[in-house]
Amino acid sequence: MHKVIVGDYATSTFRKEEPESLFDIAFKAGSILLSHRKVSPTEIDAVLFSSCSSDQYSASIIAEMLGIKPKIAQRIDNLCNSGTAAVISAYGLIASGLCKSALIIGAESRNSPGRSLSWDVARGSFTLPIYWATMYARNHMRTFGTTEEQMAMVTVKNRRSASKNPNALYRKQVTVDEVMASKRISYPLKLLDCSSLCTGASAVLLLSEVMLSRRVENPVYVTGIGSQTNSASLSKVISDMNVTGASRIAAMEAYHMAKKTPKDIDVAELHDAFSIMEIMAYEDLGFVAKGMGGRFIQHGKVATNTRGGILGCGHPLGATGVSQVAEIAAQLSGKAGRRQVKGCKNGLIHNLSAGGTSATIIILGVD
Amino acid sequence: MHKVIVGDYATSTFRKEEPESLFDIAFKAGSILLSHRKVSPTEIDAVLFSSCSSDQYSASIIAEMLGIKPKIAQRIDNLCNSGTAAVISAYGLIASGLCKSALIIGAESRNSPGRSLSWDVARGSFTLPIYWATMYARNHMRTFGTTEEQMAMVTVKNRRSASKNPNALYRKQVTVDEVMASKRISYPLKLLDCSSLCTGASAVLLLSEVMLSRRVENPVYVTGIGSQTNSASLSKVISDMNVTGASRIAAMEAYHMAKKTPKDIDVAELHDAFSIMEIMAYEDLGFVAKGMGGRFIQHGKVATNTRGGILGCGHPLGATGVSQVAEIAAQLSGKAGRRQVKGCKNGLIHNLSAGGTSATIIILGVD
């Protein structure tokens, strides 16, 4: 098996504006990455495009725009999980020896067709994601005594990190009081407990270890991968509202592959489309015991969502997972600038789709 | 590296009717395959869905419908190449050790959004695929003396094969005279030189060799993979109208990986969306010298498009590549019924997108 490293990464500035074309925004992230000259376009064996858009032949179009003639070009989608799903596919192509390099580009526009879960008829009229987040939040408060203030602290922490990230949608910090006083959307969630759909793109270059010479000084390895799809319908997963079960299963698989435990993780990107989801992620990933997530936000030892998370950066669906991988790679390379977590060696990416019906975990590490 | 085998396959009957939902037709192919009991749903590690449709979270929806809780679920698209692209991704997931099994389902409805190449603005108003096929056909006639009758013979051969395939859209044989007399669409192509979009689904199960025990008697191995994307726009490939360059590059790569030459291939599924494309495929795959494709149809030694090809079976975009793999697996297993090619050991699948701007080749073999 060929070892796989994250050879480079680039992220565009996430915005509220609609781009003229999704391809413009995807091109931007790809061209920034290529401008670093870690690889030449002729060396790229695969272009995987992650997006929920309905454009046809999109991976080939982006490859042509970037001057790449890859062996493999394909689009991959799986709602919010799309970006990490594409990274996992790229890992397979490289580890198996089919490719030596893969450029994964995730891009989405604010009015993406992935913004409504209209296919899940069991949701009735509750097709917007906030409805499942509301159920999770109410249950967590009822069962474990989690408070609205603790959820607000997730937003405060992630907006603080986002203030140091020039690509984040929200650069302005907020206080617990401001979150608590923000517009009530669906009890107990308020406007500032919720992420915003936005336009953005991110790119990650995976390389086979055989391409390492001279290119990358302190290589960041993909050490663990876990993924689990429990269902498409929320009604199938809410028999136990205390866990997003897919995350737990995926995490166990990834820790096993990486030969790591939750205690080894120094820095993590967690899926925080809603503040409650980050609290549940602490528990599902084993950073803290079940029910203790609300307190972990105050006393936890893992640096979480250093780029600002989805709450701070915004949520361009197909780009989110890719930008999570980019952030952990930046942290482990010591190139996260003002956001740098000192001495971090192992990082984890957690992503999920549609109320936790599916989840992916990727673990990266440096020697 | 883990060896990968085609463990099972199933194809629905291709039809002109629209299904109530694309998921119904995808489910049909998947449930036929599961009914063979080569694997149980709990053993399936990945569900890859190939389709040009714009449904969201489609791979997870199909997994749930089939009672599968896979690790990995994702949709993959790349126009006509989608099905073979998904098979290649699945190969990567298994060969790399991430998964032990993957179910690839391709499905498309007749009114798929992939039917028009509207993104390729350099085509002007010539967005329908027949326009590039017309250019290829005129060039081949002018340069190599290929005749309309030779193209007609491709249709006659493939419709003859389709008459033996209970899942084919067109079961009625046609004569050269009937092809020649059919409605003129765009000189020199006539109605019967062209395939038809249709509704259909096909499923293929890939397994890691470690899952072989008891399940499969004479395993069909994936021995070669080649893929090449030259561009998205036709204008970028027509500097040499004599070849579909991506096919040639992909074929060389696949032959190299499989350690085979064109002479080793006993049976092949070729992309014949238009009759001229099969003639060009003979040449691009090295079955015959450049320019001799028109004569190969009369004197060739490789059994081609035994399921009836796209001309006979119809063209449900995302399903086509999967059904091509299913046919070659059936042939190499000796289970192709009335279409069986005696004693075949090595088979090849050739698929392409958008005028040959990209192509994929998969080689299968039995010991």
Side-chain angles (χ1 to χ4, degrees), chain B residues 209-280:
Chain B
E209 198 181 30
V210 300
M211 284 186 78
L212 258 190
S213 61
R214 76 179 160 72
R215 286 171 214 272
V216 184
E217 283 170 21
N218 302 304
V220 175
Y221 288 88
V222 180
T223 57
I225 286 176
S227 187
Q228 177 64 22
T229 303
N230 276 343
S231 65
S233 322
L234 188 64
S235 53
K236 293 246 182 169
V237 298
I238 56 174
S239 56
D240 183 356
M241 286 295 289
N242 292 331
V243 293
T244 59
S247 295
R248 284 181 88 89
I249 296 169
M252 281 190 289
E253 189 188 353
Y255 287 133
H256 177 77
M257 177 173 163
K259 300 187 179 72
K260 299 290 177 196
T261 72
K263 288 191 178 140
D264 296 316
I265 303 302
D266 304 307
V267 57
E269 283 290 313
L270 309 174
H271 185 95
D272 62 329
F274 301 93
S275 55
I276 182 63
M277 301 314 288
E278 179 164 327
I279 288 175
M280 292 182 72

Side-chain angles (χ1 to χ4, degrees), chain B residues 328-346:
Chain B
I328 296 298
Q331 288 288 353
L332 299 183
S333 314
K335 293 180 181 167
R338 291 176 58 208
R339 310 189 302 279
Q340 184 64 47
V341 176
K342 278 186 190 162
C344 54
K345 295 283 188 187
N346 295 291

